[in-house]
Amino acid sequence: MDHILTTAAELRTAIGAGRYPDGGPVRVLDVRWWLDRPDGRPAFRAGHIPGARYADLDTQLAEHGEPTEGRHPLPSPKTLQAAVRDWGIDEGDTVVVYDDVANLASGRAWWVLRDAGIADVRVLDGALAAWIDAGFDLEEGDAADVRPGTAIVSPGELPVLGIDDVLDQARTGLLLDARAGERFRGEVEPMDPRAGHIPGAVSAPTTQNSDESGRFRSSDELRERFAALGAEPGATVGVYCGSGVSAAHEAIALSLAGYRPVLYPGSWSQWSQHPDRPIATGA
């Protein structure tokens, strides 16, 4: 998968030129979101990359229904199409996504847009901190109005695991749990009704995909990490997290390492809502 990451310097040059030399016109999405502060608009208004549009993870990159569907089901085609229009994305654009938590949130936008057929989506390596550390200016206030985007979304480009597929993936291949280790072991559960993990899953906290600066580790380092967890070279690897957000970050890391990630969008927030589904605890 080409062009997964972009640097702050590359993005600044592309913004100045109006397009990437190896891509298309630039569209930048700010996907700031936190569990305790899901609305990132105040942070966006306080300072964002010039020309960026705010992408609301809760309302544009997710749908909301019954608890048994999980906390962040994938957005419907209608919801995502409206968002793409709002963001001004046209066919052939290069979309760059970022947040301010090492891309743990913006990875969701990368995955959703790639799944919807947007061919060139890149993640700002190091997130907003990389832009600031490079000494580049921020823009304050709300985003300027843009002409509605014309790109047509077609979700379903990337493989996914449904709730009935997950145990088979764990039994016959590798299923990674991207949550913190203490949640995997069932020692704590701050969000969902049951603690523990899907039987057969392997603990692989998303935070270990990045270095101290929030940049993704090298492809070799990531390949070594996932191989130590049981991934065969080039294998298909299932991944889930709490609600399908940070698991997308792990899908990026797996892609960088040469594996084929398969996301379980419902993740633990769906699995734990079904009393008939088995759970495991401990390491």
Side-chain angles (χ1 to χ4, degrees):
M1 199 176 289
D2 295 333
H3 306 312
I4 295 176
L5 303 179
T6 188
T7 67
E10 289 168 345
L11 175 57
R12 185 170 183 263
T13 298
I15 290 173
R19 63 182 303 119
Y20 268 84
D22 56 354
V26 189
R27 298 291 180 266
V28 183
L29 299 183
D30 183 311
V31 200
R32 275 180 272 189
W33 175 90
W34 312 268
L35 276 174
D36 59 340
R37 286 174 293 133
D39 187 358
R41 288 180 182 85
F44 177 87
R45 295 185 186 107
H48 54 267
I49 292 175
R53 305 281 295 172
Y54 178 68
D56 190 312
L57 190 147
D58 273 343
T59 65
Q60 295 178 306
L61 294 170
E63 213 68 45
H64 294 279
E66 296 299 320
T68 51
E69 298 177 66
R71 283 183 277 114
H72 289 106
L74 295 177
S76 68
K78 180 180 179 181
T79 294
L80 187 57
Q81 186 64 69
V84 165
R85 287 182 57 81
D86 178 65
W87 297 329
I89 298 174
D90 294 331
E91 187 74 27
D93 284 351
T94 295
V95 182
V96 177
V97 300
Y98 74 90
D99 58 34
D100 61 357
V101 285
N103 291 308
L104 294 178
S106 61
R108 169 77 170 208
W110 175 86
W111 193 94
V112 167
L113 290 173
R114 285 302 314 263
D115 179 64
I118 305 299
D120 191 358
V121 187
R122 310 185 191 194
V123 178
L124 175 57
D125 200 18
L128 184 60
W131 182 272
I132 294 171
D133 291 346
F136 300 150
D137 292 337
L138 296 178
E139 184 174 72
E140 298 180 357
D142 291 314
D145 292 336
V146 295
R147 175 181 54 78
T150 59
I152 303 298
V153 302
S154 180
E157 293 293 317
L158 299 181
V160 296
L161 293 171
I163 192 170
D164 295 326
D165 307 320
V166 183
L167 284 179
D168 282 344
Q169 175 64 35
R171 289 172 184 145
T172 63
L174 180 63
L175 177 66
L176 300 181
D177 184 317
R179 297 173 300 160
E182 57 268 26
R183 289 186 72 189
F184 175 88
R185 294 187 295 271
E187 297 165 4
V188 298
E189 183 44 67
M191 302 295 296
D192 297 312
R194 296 194 290 166
H197 59 267
I198 296 171
V202 175
S203 180
T206 305
T207 51
Q208 295 179 19
N209 295 326
S210 307
D211 62 20
E212 296 76 10
S213 69
R215 291 175 171 84
F216 280 93
R217 298 189 183 279
S218 71
S219 295
D220 287 342
E221 289 175 312
L222 291 170
R223 194 174 301 114
E224 182 177 350
R225 181 197 180 204
F226 293 124
L229 294 173
E232 298 291 337
T236 296
V237 179
V239 61
Y240 73 95
C241 60
S243 66
V245 175
S246 63
H249 184 281
E250 192 119 301
I252 294 171
L254 285 161
S255 298
L256 291 169
Y259 298 100
R260 298 189 299 274
V262 184
L263 185 73
Y264 170 31
S267 286
W268 186 250
S269 64
Q270 181 185 43
W271 188 269
S272 62
Q273 288 281 353
H274 292 260
D276 59 316
R277 303 288 169 167
I279 63 171
T281 57

